[in-house]
Amino acid sequence: MTLILGIETSCDETAAAVVADGQTIRSNVVESQVEIHRRYGGVFPEVASRQHVLSILPVIGQAMADAEADWDDLDAVAVTHGPGLAGSLLVGVNAAKGLAWGRGLPLVGVNHIEAHICGNWLVSGPPPEFPLVCLVASGGHSELIWMTGHGQYRRLGSTLDDAAGEAFDKVGRLLGLPYPGGPSIQRAARGGSPAAFKLPRAWLPGTYDFSFSGLKTAMLQLVQKYQPEGNGSPAGKSRAAGSQPQLMRVLPVANLAASFQAAVIDVLVTKTVQAAQDMDAKTVLLAGGVAANELLRAEMVRNSPVPVRCPPLELCTDNAAIVATAGFFRFQAGERSGWDLDVVPGLRLAAEQDTSAS
Ligand code: KG4
Ligand code: ZN
């Protein structure tokens, strides 16, 4: 049995987990900073790294206690070293280095995107079948990845501007919904019609790339039409005295949320299904925070020609169990990081390749 301590601090979650054989979660502690960042409407990097410093050792201690594990029971320490916020990554990497060095354990640096993908192996039952197409959609990334085995990736396409989750977060703010926008928009959308507003989809024919900036602009223009004075600031902002109330119309938040969500999911699903067909994939995987979206999960299952796998909801957003699992596969392959392991805020998963959508 191989027992790995995973550590994750790439953004605004301080997390540690103990996982056996890359499959059995012994503990999974996540301390979210979401309440702290909510007042800023997004992650405030400096505040995030300071909070990681305060939380990291208690969170690791809790993960070890929950797992009823001794340091001697561990085989390795795995840590996210990129991509992410430099100041946040530094806290996890330094903690992992210190603990691994002090306890004489091997250190394994993990790519955060790979960790998200590996969440699909943290479930019981048969593992996903290769080769596969994986849609990674999170707050920082939107990529279509071709995977022929563990650690074997080719990037088919990625976003040209905002990540899908980032678009959810920005539009959530525009609609006056609480951060993070993804879950808020999903909730608001339940009461609205996806056909209420006709919104643009960036198909970018001949590529597996994504773009959400046009859709975001369309949303901004719609909000401004309802609330000219708001100028894109959060909906519901109070008006200046003496202004003309007839210009200010109540924002149809549910319909806007539902139409926006449908537009994003439409593109994500269509492009992923296209890639799966073109590449003759055996499986479609979902990964990253946006994979928690109920419409995305349902529509992908409805449209995909091959089985769709997605991590359980709680493993879609940032946590360290997925880091431990990614670390397990690398550890098994004989990979060890040096004590000079550094943070790489722009770390990529795979090189660009020239396969174009047909
Ligand atoms: O993977 P994650 O926790 O962090 C990054 O690596 O970025 O993803 C967070 C992102 C946020 O943008 C959040 O709005 C989005 O995932 N998200 C969702 C949902 N839950 C989280 N987006 C759409 N629908 C959801 N249910
Ligand atoms: Zn993430």
Side-chain angles (χ1 to χ4, degrees), residues 112 116 138 318:
H112 182 77
H116 273 302
S138 71
D318 289 352

Side-chain angles (χ1 to χ4, degrees), residues 118-144:
C118 285
N120 284 290
W121 274 261
L122 264 175
V123 285
S124 49
E129 208 180 336
F130 293 112
L132 54 85
V133 166
C134 181
L135 171 69
V136 185
S138 71
H141 315 276
S142 291
E143 309 199 353
L144 263 179

Side-chain angles (χ1 to χ4, degrees), residues 5 31 37 43 48 75 82 99 111 148 156 160 185 196 199 211 219 240 266 285 307 348 358:
L5 169 68
E31 193 174 289
H37 297 289
V43 179
D75 293 283
L99 291 167
N111 181 310
T148 49
L156 302 174
L160 304 182
I185 287 180
L199 292 167
S211 166
M219 290 297 291
D266 190 7
L285 290 193
R348 305 219 67 165
S358 50

Side-chain angles (χ1 to χ4, degrees), residues 112 116 138-140 165-166 168-169 180-183 186 288-290 292-293 316-318:
H112 182 77
H116 273 302
S138 71
E166 193 181 355
F168 269 101
D169 293 340
Q186 172 173 297
V290 181
N293 185 275
C316 285
T317 44
D318 289 352

Side-chain angles (χ1 to χ4, degrees), residues 18 27 31 36 49 69 78 83-84 111 119 121 128 140 144 160 180 206 213 220 282 293 311 336 341 355:
V18 177
S27 65
E31 193 174 289
I36 296 169
S49 55
N111 181 310
W121 274 261
L144 263 179
L160 304 182
S213 62
L220 174 64
K282 291 218 160 65
N293 185 275
R336 309 287 184 270
L341 177 72
T355 308

